[in-house]
Amino acid sequence: MRLVVKVGTSTLAHSTGNLNIRRVEALCKVLSDIKNAGNEILLVSSGATGMGSGKLGLLKRPEDISTKQAAAAVGQCELMYTYDKLFQQYNHCVAQVLLTRADIEDDSRRANLHSTFSRLLDFRVLPIINENDSVATEEFFIGENDSLAALVSTLVDADLIILLSDIDGLFTADPHKDQEAKLISRVEEITPELRALGGGAGSDFGSGGMSAKLNAAQIAMDAGCDMIIANGEHPEILYDIMAGEEVGTRFVARHEKKTGAAVR
Ligand code: GLU
């Protein structure tokens, strides 16, 4: 299988903003093992701004654009250093690919990216992707990596996207507030009712934002790719997903995959 796995800052870091070493080590180990079993993996990783802020000694996440972009530039190095070191332990070579919306929307850049990813996968490299936060201008910000992961999956014709989050999936109500809230295990269509569950003011359950995840799901489903939201607290959950177990919320593709760089 060709998998796009997305991890958010809440999975990678403690609430202090510092790296969650145990979690990241487990993630790299499990991904390496799944790759060893013959699957291809592309990892979409957040965390650049968070890690950079920590390294620069900022007390909170920056709000102004230039400090944010500077922090992302610093943090991206730290992020890749960490992944390179950890994946190296399992003999996997990683590559950094940083994208903006413009790279995905422009036909020739898109075709170029498609070839680059294909060649990296031919070389059995594990591409690690993030938004190019230090150069993206407001106009071209994707802004969150859930949609970036879905857009990448259309570029590489992925078989499955897995969004690892700090919540088990999409619920019928906010599980932090409502004990009756039930996990929705399968979604075939993103209806306005479903959007209201994930997107209404004050009902943004995951820190990554459920409405962003629903937007990503829509892109994936339209492109013919299933998407799963699962809790990244224990990255071993990826084994259960690969074994076909029902985990988290699965958004089912609307049709068979379209092919190639032409997919939008
Ligand atoms: N690209 C951002 C970063 O690495 C994260 C975006 C997101 O959290 O979805 O800091």
Side-chain angles (χ1 to χ4, degrees), residues 6 9 45-50 61 130-131 133 143-146:
K6 181 255 168 179
T9 309
S45 177
S46 307
T49 318
R61 235 179 130 86
N130 197 357
E131 183 156 19
D133 294 311
E144 39 79 21
N145 279 356
D146 298 318

Side-chain angles (χ1 to χ4, degrees), residues 174 177 199-205:
D174 184 345
K177 295 183 192 144
S203 61
D204 208 347
F205 312 150

Side-chain angles (χ1 to χ4, degrees), residues 8-24 47 49-59 78-79 82:
T9 309
S10 62
T11 301
L12 296 171
H14 290 287
S15 51
T16 55
N18 296 325
L19 188 70
N20 185 328
I21 297 173
R22 181 162 46 171
R23 175 109 26 91
V24 175
T49 318
M51 278 196 188
S53 306
K55 222 175 169 187
L56 292 173
L58 306 177
L59 296 176
E78 180 81 356
L79 200 57
T82 306

Side-chain angles (χ1 to χ4, degrees), residues 28 32 35 41 43 79-88 91-97 120 123-129:
C28 293
S32 295
K35 195 160 157 12
I41 295 173
L43 179 63
L79 200 57
M80 286 311 295
Y81 170 73
T82 306
Y83 281 129
D84 194 25
K85 200 171 52 170
L86 292 174
F87 279 114
Q88 183 72 48
N91 282 323
H92 288 297
C93 176
V94 299
Q96 169 184 267
V97 181
L120 285 170
F123 281 124
R124 300 183 186 286
V125 168
L126 195 161
I128 300 180
I129 301 137

